Amino acid sequence: MGELEPTAFVVDGDMQVHRSVRRLMESVRLRVETYATTQAFFEARDPARPGCLILEVRMRGMSGIDLFHRLRAEGDRIPVIFLTQHGDVPMAVEAMREGAFHFLQKPFNEQYLLDQTHAAIAQDLRRRREEAERRSASARFESLSAREQEILSEVIAGRTNKTMARQFGVTVKTVEFHRSNIMKKVGAENVAELVCLLLRSGWDKRISQVAEHR
């Protein structure tokens, strides 16, 4: 799997933490990489690589919280588990509100950290799979012609073929032809599947705009 193998990225200035977390992750054959500074991780980070980030809050230079904010500002959604002995309740609440996966204090329970790491990686893989499905569905809707998009907006609104034929000044067979093409292009067997794909792709908003501008 190479570079796309799920990885636990550990960013901590304590080499003892590096050793203990590496030993823990490798005991279950989970790939792990360690970084002594937030800057080193930030410069090496490739958002295409799945996994989770185990991050100390207080670091020299850029803090763990600052790194978290920089990653999010750049659109990197990697799950972050804050691991620190300096954290307090307000800090934990703020981190969780801003989308951190978990906030743990040292010394940590190894099994609990392992469980949370697996859960965070599963979340990241699920998100990536859903985003890939959304992009694929969006590309299929993108392939529709302008007229097919118009027909699609009416199909979603529940219009009959006869109603659409009168509205567009075409025959019912022409409407049926367009409907068939729409289903083939987007890969839907019926209207229910069509609606699900539309919502998953984010194209429901664009179809609404098509309807508004007619």
Side-chain angles (χ1 to χ4, degrees):
M1 290 186 287
E3 291 301 303
L4 295 182
E5 181 181 356
T7 302
F9 301 97
V10 182
V11 180
D12 198 302
D14 187 339
M15 295 302 103
Q16 179 60 40
V17 172
H18 286 198
R19 288 190 291 269
S20 62
V21 176
R22 177 178 292 279
R23 174 186 54 78
L24 176 64
M25 300 302 165
E26 290 181 345
S27 72
V28 292
R29 298 182 180 180
L30 181 62
R31 179 170 179 165
V32 58
E33 291 182 12
T34 58
Y35 297 84
T37 67
T38 50
Q39 190 65 39
F41 172 78
F42 186 76
E43 292 176 357
R45 173 63 179 156
D46 177 0
R49 297 183 62 189
C52 78
L53 173 57
I54 300 173
L55 177 62
E56 166 63 59
V57 172
R58 297 191 179 181
M59 301 282 291
R60 291 182 179 179
M62 178 172 35
S63 71
I65 293 292
D66 289 340
L67 172 61
F68 175 67
H69 289 158
R70 288 187 67 176
L71 291 172
R72 291 299 184 260
E74 296 200 354
D76 192 334
R77 311 307 298 174
I78 184 172
V80 175
I81 298 174
F82 283 110
L83 182 63
T84 181
Q85 58 187 165
H86 303 291
D88 54 22
V89 173
M91 185 183 294
V93 171
E94 178 187 3
M96 297 300 286
R97 281 179 176 172
E98 294 181 1
F101 187 83
H102 214 327
F103 193 100
L104 304 179
Q105 285 192 293
K106 300 173 183 176
F108 56 88
N109 177 285
E110 290 193 346
Q111 186 58 54
Y112 190 69
L113 175 59
L114 198 57
D115 291 344
Q116 293 305 309
T117 299
H118 280 304
I121 289 174
Q123 180 191 80
D124 192 45
L125 293 176
R126 182 169 58 252
R127 175 185 60 81
R128 290 171 184 275
R129 182 173 62 252
E130 290 171 352
E131 288 181 352
E133 291 173 352
R134 178 188 58 76
R135 289 192 297 270
S136 174
S138 180
R140 281 176 272 163
F141 282 108
E142 191 76 45
S143 71
L144 298 179
S145 68
R147 176 45 60 91
E148 287 168 347
Q149 290 181 29
E150 291 177 332
I151 295 291
L152 174 60
S153 70
E154 297 303 314
V155 171
I156 299 303
R159 306 285 191 270
T160 65
N161 289 350
K162 287 184 179 180
T163 299
M164 285 186 276
R166 287 196 300 270
Q167 179 176 340
F168 294 113
V170 297
T171 66
V172 172
K173 284 189 175 181
T174 297
V175 173
E176 291 174 346
F177 172 78
H178 285 308
R179 286 188 67 149
S180 177
N181 273 351
I182 290 169
M183 293 299 191
K184 289 177 182 177
K185 286 184 178 181
V186 304
E189 294 292 331
N190 51 54
V191 174
E193 286 187 14
L194 184 65
V195 172
C196 287
L197 282 171
L198 194 67
L199 294 173
R200 190 180 305 161
S201 69
W203 257 72
D204 54 308
K205 299 179 180 62
R206 295 183 63 171
I207 290 302
S208 296
Q209 292 173 355
V210 169
E212 291 173 0
H213 287 88
R214 273 205 311 275

